[in-house]
Amino acid sequence: MLLRAALTIAIGASTAHAALARDIAVADQAQFKAAVKAAKPGDSIILADGEWRDFQVVFTGTGTADKPITLTARTKGKVVLTGQSNLRMGGRHLVVSGLLFRGGASPTNQVISFRRDSKTLAFDSRVTEVVIDGYSKPDRRAEDIWVALYGTGNRVDHSHFEGKTNAGVTLAVIRRAGDPLDNRHRIDHNYFGPRPPLGSNGGETIRIGTSEESLSASNSIVERNIFDRTSGEVEIVSIKSGGNVVRENLVLESQGAFVLRHGNGNLVERNIFFGNNAPDTGGVRVINRDQIVRENYFEGLAGKDFKSAISVMNGVPDSTINRYHQVSGARIERNSVIDSARITLAAGADAERSAPPVGSRFERNLIVGTRGADPFRADGDIGGIAFAGNIEARTANPLISNGVEQRDVKLERAENGLLYPVDPALAAIGAPRDLVPVKREEVGVAWHRSSASEAAFGTGRTTSVKPGASLAAAVDKSRAGDTLSLAAGAYDLAAPLTLRHRLTIAGTKGAAPVLRIAGGLAQIDGGGGLRIENIEIDARSVGAALSLVAVGRAVAPNYRIQFDGVTVRGPGKASRVDAIASAPGTFAESIEIRGSHFADMGTIISATAEQESKGWYAAERTVIADSHFDRVALVADLLRKGTDESTFGPWFAMTGSQVADSGNGDASLRLSGAQHVDIAGNRFVRSAPVAVIHSVGTPNTRIANNLFNHTRAPRIEELAWKGPARAELSGNIMEGRP
Ligand code: CA
């Protein structure tokens, strides 16, 4: 009541001094509504510090260039929009600043929208110093966009976005037929923080447009942002319109690439990429007409194929709007590609993508491959690319000799942190000396640093638990990163432990604690993760089909499971008592089994819960090392359906392990749709075969140096590829009749 009176007085006062900009303080949603209604150009609506729960902010008005209407926080960062909150703005010259979205998710399909509704868009408006941190829908398949730009002349700057784990672009420029298309938006000085792999298409960090309107120019600018581990999918930035400028951004260890997916006449210049040789780190991928890629710096990029440092794609003749238009008139000039795995030309050439690049130039680039290797690859005809004035560090049998001169290149790191040739004769080759990497303090906000990511295993306190004590009570009392240290003896577990943070349960050195379980061992809930170490699990009396470690439906964020030095005895191979099972809508960063022994169990790792066909999968990395499996139905059952090409994984590796008397008839290990498979140095004895099923992309499968004793040879199936099965099988030994 008091505040309402204050508001009335403030407005009353201003009528006498109409030119005065007013600060309108509001403390609840009703006051906010009234303030929006009353706001005049130059006014600021100021939200009280504290938590604003379930607040769907609708901010409309008409300011002027000199006197915008502002919505801001009493104290920047202290106004927290949480629960089911979001923000829509419509009108002209609106500014939003200082807000923090955390601890919830939008109830709609956008968090911040530059439109109130389909008729009321925002123009010449700005979102600045806003943070969206981990504000993800818990079911990762439920899609939303964190910042949706409509209208024209809008700006998103000095904001901080990180931790999106559900589907949908982090920041998108939306260009629908009928809306203004010459957008001229500016996206600058933002911190795009870690975005983990989504495990499907729809994990882009920025997208400008969609294919339908891609032949018109958006003329938007993406400049001086930091992309830090933005690894949602193969497109970090997806340009689907023309006339855009992507300039002077800094990309750190991000899987994927900047992709000129649709639209013509875009400029990508003076960006700096550091991959630290992390898998699938890429640079720029070129498709369509008249694209310029110049003066960029690429270092330590390990990506290949579509995630190469530079890739120039083959197109589809007379392509439909949503496939691949032929590359024509591309200019790729003065880039430095250093310590990077690949430059792929005519990338993706196949029966459909049969139109090679034409009328394109590749000039004065500096190329230094990883460990002296030649990074150039051509998937098809590259006669339409003219090479001139390029320098490549000497390599044996270079792919391109015309226009790419081989010589010794000595590099040194300059003041700006980038590598340049020592030889002054090369001064005009590769990225220019005056690049200035954007600094962390120039982007995002000063008042917010990444919310502590889930504490890693083993980073907290260690608590001893003695036989007879309640494990469930110890788990309840534990905190993220803690370890429960079990002494020798037997522990009976009546019900599964519920884990809402990362926890280690470990047998103390030399002890062999035995967990006797009648039902499940643990349930992973939101935020949960389990590492179990040096423990024996007696599951012989489990009477029903279940998974020892189960995952709740739609729990976020992503989880991890590790077994290390664990022995598990189950009730039998046909029991359908599994060890680890994924759940729909969830995603494991990794599932690891090391130095462990499983006997008489169903499936050890069951990751088949995602059954739809859009390429979703359950775990990014699955690792099995130095373990034994006796009489189990399947060592692992991984499934990724569909023909999507947007993901990096799943990855699967199994080494130094033994599988005996196992399999369900059809297979003892079944991997379907994995992108990377490495099965090496294992023994399979009297077991069903290994089955690897390829569906899409360029799967990388290696099965090497294994012994198959009384076990059939591995089976490789190709669901889409028409050629011979793509797998490296080498050094395997077959002995005994299967
Ligand atoms: Ca995509």
Side-chain angles (χ1 to χ4, degrees):
M1 235 18 242
L2 201 61
L3 280 157
R4 175 60 60 90
L7 175 68
T8 313
I9 289 160
I11 291 170
S14 77
T15 45
H17 309 278
L20 276 184
R22 304 163 303 172
D23 283 351
I24 309 173
V26 300
D28 63 33
Q29 296 191 24
Q31 287 178 13
F32 172 76
K33 253 188 186 161
V36 169
K37 228 177 208 168
K40 299 276 189 303
D43 288 353
S44 292
I45 300 169
I46 299 173
L47 300 182
D49 290 353
E51 199 172 82
W52 293 71
R53 185 166 285 278
D54 304 333
F55 185 14
Q56 296 198 46
V57 183
V58 179
F59 178 38
T60 54
T62 306
T64 67
D66 294 343
K67 295 194 172 93
I69 302 174
T70 299
L71 165 61
T72 190
R74 178 81 187 82
T75 309
K76 283 173 178 168
K78 294 274 158 58
V79 172
V80 184
L81 288 133
T82 189
Q84 301 216 318
S85 297
N86 61 17
L87 165 67
R88 285 176 286 156
M89 41 204 293
R92 283 183 189 274
H93 296 292
L94 304 174
V95 176
V96 174
S97 70
L99 308 182
L100 166 60
F101 287 85
R102 196 174 59 193
S106 174
T108 63
N109 59 6
Q110 296 175 345
V111 178
I112 296 178
S113 181
F114 280 76
R115 69 172 197 183
R116 188 185 76 174
D117 52 48
S118 61
K119 290 186 191 68
T120 317
L121 312 185
F123 297 88
D124 302 316
S125 294
R126 181 176 179 198
V127 166
T128 183
E129 291 191 80
V130 163
V131 175
I132 307 179
D133 189 347
Y135 206 66
S136 302
K137 291 182 190 283
D139 185 329
R140 73 195 177 103
R141 297 164 303 181
E143 190 168 338
D144 69 358
I145 293 172
W146 276 8
V147 181
L149 283 148
Y150 296 85
T152 63
N154 295 316
R155 183 177 179 203
V156 178
D157 65 280
H158 295 91
S159 290
H160 176 128
F161 309 106
E162 86 166 273
K164 192 172 200 294
T165 52
N166 66 312
V169 186
T170 306
L171 183 153
V173 174
I174 308 213
R175 308 176 75 245
R176 304 166 312 161
D179 281 352
L181 298 178
D182 183 11
N183 306 110
R184 297 181 187 273
H185 298 313
R186 190 162 167 229
I187 300 149
D188 63 283
H189 296 91
N190 299 292
Y191 175 73
F192 293 97
R195 176 161 192 186
L198 175 63
S200 175
N201 187 19
E204 301 88 350
T205 293
I206 292 182
R207 194 191 70 221
I208 302 182
T210 48
S211 61
E212 291 86 351
E213 300 299 325
S214 60
L215 296 180
S216 58
S218 174
N219 295 318
S220 293
I221 295 174
V222 178
E223 131 179 279
R224 290 191 81 74
N225 301 283
I226 291 181
F227 296 85
D228 182 6
R229 290 161 285 163
T230 48
S231 301
E233 61 141 277
V234 297
E235 297 175 280
I236 302 167
V237 173
S238 178
I239 301 289
K240 297 188 171 179
S241 51
N244 300 292
V245 177
V246 182
R247 179 196 289 147
E248 293 185 4
N249 298 286
L250 176 62
V251 185
L252 302 171
E253 221 176 288
S254 295
Q255 292 172 262
F258 287 6
V259 182
L260 303 175
R261 184 66 188 83
H262 299 296
N264 304 313
N266 294 290
L267 171 61
V268 179
E269 65 174 358
R270 300 171 67 86
N271 299 285
I272 297 168
F273 293 73
F274 285 111
N276 291 339
N277 287 303
D280 293 316
T281 47
V284 179
R285 175 151 60 109
V286 178
I287 306 152
N288 310 292
R289 277 194 289 112
D290 302 327
Q291 315 282 27
I292 299 175
V293 178
R294 70 179 176 210
E295 301 186 355
N296 298 286
Y297 180 91
F298 307 101
E299 185 183 337
L301 302 180
K304 299 174 180 174
D305 303 311
F306 289 3
K307 295 144 294 187
S308 300
I310 296 174
S311 59
V312 181
M313 279 192 71
N314 248 34
V316 175
D318 302 313
S319 176
T320 53
I321 194 76
N322 65 345
R323 289 300 291 161
Y324 293 87
H325 284 123
Q326 186 175 26
V327 170
S328 142
R331 282 165 49 200
I332 300 167
E333 301 166 346
R334 287 209 65 175
N335 301 287
S336 290
V337 180
I338 294 172
D339 183 25
S340 291
R342 282 288 186 277
I343 295 171
T344 306
L345 306 170
D350 60 17
E352 184 209 16
R353 290 184 289 233
S354 62
V358 293
S360 296
R361 297 188 345 226
F362 192 98
E363 295 181 354
R364 287 183 292 147
N365 298 287
L366 175 73
I367 295 125
V368 181
T370 308
R371 287 187 294 277
D374 182 12
F376 281 107
R377 292 291 185 281
D379 290 353
D381 173 22
I382 57 169
I385 304 174
F387 296 84
N390 302 287
I391 299 289
E392 180 176 14
R394 213 174 284 287
T395 179
N397 307 314
L399 178 78
I400 301 163
S401 48
N402 243 342
V404 181
E405 185 193 335
Q406 297 283 314
R407 57 189 288 173
D408 295 318
V409 178
K410 189 163 182 271
L411 300 171
E412 66 182 359
R413 212 169 278 283
E415 290 258 297
N416 65 0
L418 312 184
L419 290 166
Y420 293 93
V422 173
D423 186 349
L426 301 184
I429 309 296
R433 290 254 172 190
D434 64 350
L435 293 183
V436 183
V438 59
K439 292 194 182 66
R440 180 66 183 86
E441 55 269 29
E442 286 175 63
V443 303
V445 298
W447 44 262
H448 186 81
R449 284 292 175 266
S450 315
S451 61
S453 57
E454 306 79 56
F457 294 126
T459 57
R461 301 168 309 174
T462 298
T463 308
S464 297
V465 183
K466 301 256 173 337
S470 163
L471 257 180
V475 167
D476 279 349
K477 271 190 261 168
S478 70
R479 287 187 297 207
D482 282 0
T483 299
L484 302 184
S485 177
L486 274 53
Y491 298 76
D492 288 298
L493 200 61
L497 303 164
T498 301
L499 302 178
R500 296 190 181 86
H501 50 247
R502 292 193 177 172
L503 185 74
T504 300
I505 300 176
T508 38
K509 275 231 167 352
V514 179
L515 276 180
R516 289 189 299 230
I517 59 176
L521 166 64
Q523 158 102 4
I524 309 281
D525 250 337
L530 174 64
R531 174 177 161 80
I532 182 159
E533 194 182 321
N534 301 332
I535 283 191
E536 202 176 313
I537 297 171
D538 182 351
R540 285 176 297 180
S541 59
V542 175
L546 54 76
S547 179
L548 300 184
V549 180
V551 179
R553 288 181 79 90
V555 300
N558 302 339
Y559 64 94
R560 292 180 101 112
I561 296 173
Q562 297 179 353
F563 277 54
D564 195 340
V566 177
T567 298
V568 185
R569 284 174 297 165
K573 186 171 122 176
S575 64
R576 297 182 57 210
V577 172
D578 299 339
I580 299 166
S582 68
T586 65
F587 195 55
E589 283 166 28
S590 62
I591 296 173
E592 295 169 51
I593 292 176
R594 299 179 191 277
S596 294
H597 186 185
F598 296 82
D600 305 303
M601 298 281 294
T603 299
I604 305 308
I605 300 173
S606 171
T608 59
E610 299 284 12
Q611 284 287 336
E612 56 66 69
S613 62
K614 289 183 192 147
W616 291 100
Y617 55 93
E620 186 66 8
R621 277 165 200 276
T622 303
V623 176
I624 296 171
D626 307 321
S627 295
H628 279 66
F629 303 88
D630 293 315
R631 300 173 302 281
V632 306
L634 278 166
V635 172
D637 194 5
L638 265 53
L639 176 67
R640 172 182 184 269
K641 283 186 166 180
T643 56
D644 178 79
E645 289 180 291
S646 309
T647 64
F648 311 108
W651 296 69
F652 177 85
M654 176 167 165
T655 53
S657 296
Q658 173 165 313
V659 178
D661 304 302
S662 292
N664 58 11
D666 165 57
S668 59
L669 171 62
R670 184 162 55 215
L671 310 169
S672 184
Q675 294 297 297
H676 304 269
V677 170
D678 190 24
I679 300 170
N682 305 288
R683 297 163 56 91
F684 292 81
V685 181
R686 293 179 304 276
S687 292
V690 170
V692 178
I693 300 133
H694 292 155
S695 57
V696 76
T698 48
N700 179 355
T701 295
R702 174 175 171 263
I703 302 178
N705 308 324
N706 300 285
L707 172 71
F708 297 99
N709 173 285
H710 296 286
T711 298
R712 279 184 284 146
R715 190 172 77 240
I716 314 291
E717 288 176 38
E718 293 283 354
L719 298 182
W721 176 253
K722 298 296 175 220
R726 298 166 294 178
E728 180 198 331
L729 286 103
S730 62
N732 297 302
I733 296 170
M734 307 291 303
E735 63 178 30
R737 201 177 301 157

